[in-house]
Amino acid sequence: MNKWNEIWDYIKMIVLVVVVVLVVNNVVLINAKIPSGSMEKTIMTGDRIFGFRLAYGINLDLFGKQISKKVKDPERYDIVIFKYPDDEKKRFIKRVIGLPGDKVEIRDGRVYLNDSKTPIEDSYVPETPRGSFGPYEVPEDCYFMLGDNRNNSKDSRYWDNTYVRFDQIIGKAVVRYYPSIKLLK
């Protein structure tokens, strides 16, 4: 009997560990590998990052049912992980540029918000962006996303469904842990 009790204790421990890992991985954290250069130099191709799923509230897809409860709105310049609006099976990572109600216009590579004469501060962009796009009127509960590597990013400018809805946001990118540790801003 003593041997069976010991085996049962191991089984309970293994089940508990599996449940904790599943909850952390599906409710709290996102562990992602960056597949493209669209966010360079902030995040490089091949980097591994952790995102925080609860940064803006609860936004889960459990057994085909969407559970969404907003606690906090994403802020301009947040780096977020989301379901690609043109194919929700894919995950993208980009920077929030346009908030609900914003007018976003890109002239000669510079981003202007709400008819401002001064472009936004974008020192995180590695090279001089090119092109003119917009204007875009960001709908309620939606966000306009751009990659940091603007000349090589498939982002809101090019999607059929231009905006990311709140319920498509999976979480906020927080830290790069490979190849070195870096807080993401």
Side-chain angles (χ1 to χ4, degrees), residues 70 73-74 76 96-105 112-115 135-144 163-164:
K70 187 187 296 187
D73 290 311
R76 192 175 330 278
V96 175
I97 298 298
L99 301 174
D102 277 348
K103 178 181 176 185
V104 180
E105 187 169 4
Y112 297 85
L113 297 174
N114 304 317
D115 297 318
Y136 304 95
E137 301 280 341
V138 184
E140 186 175 327
D141 213 32
C142 291
Y143 302 88
F144 186 86
Y163 309 101
V164 174

Side-chain angles (χ1 to χ4, degrees), residues 11-26:
I11 291 171
K12 288 190 298 188
M13 185 184 318
I14 290 168
V15 168
L16 178 65
V17 168
V18 168
V19 167
V20 168
V21 167
L22 286 173
V23 167
V24 168
N25 195 41
N26 291 301

Side-chain angles (χ1 to χ4, degrees), residues 16-74:
L16 178 65
V17 168
V18 168
V19 167
V20 168
V21 167
L22 286 173
V23 167
V24 168
N25 195 41
N26 291 301
V27 178
V28 180
L29 292 179
I30 305 163
N31 182 10
K33 182 178 180 182
I34 305 305
S36 74
S38 71
M39 287 297 293
E40 291 181 358
K41 300 281 183 199
T42 307
I43 308 169
M44 305 300 283
T45 304
D47 284 359
R48 302 285 309 194
I49 65 161
F50 281 129
F52 184 46
R53 290 181 185 269
L54 303 175
Y56 307 116
I58 297 172
N59 206 354
L60 302 173
D61 188 1
L62 294 176
F63 309 111
K65 182 176 180 181
Q66 184 73 28
I67 300 170
S68 186
K69 171 105 171 97
K70 187 187 296 187
V71 174
K72 179 182 177 210
D73 290 311

Side-chain angles (χ1 to χ4, degrees), residues 143-160:
Y143 302 88
F144 186 86
M145 306 291 193
L146 291 175
D148 288 0
N149 189 1
R150 302 259 167 86
N151 295 329
N152 297 297
S153 177
K154 183 177 181 183
D155 49 39
S156 284
R157 299 170 292 174
Y158 302 107
W159 302 335
D160 291 333

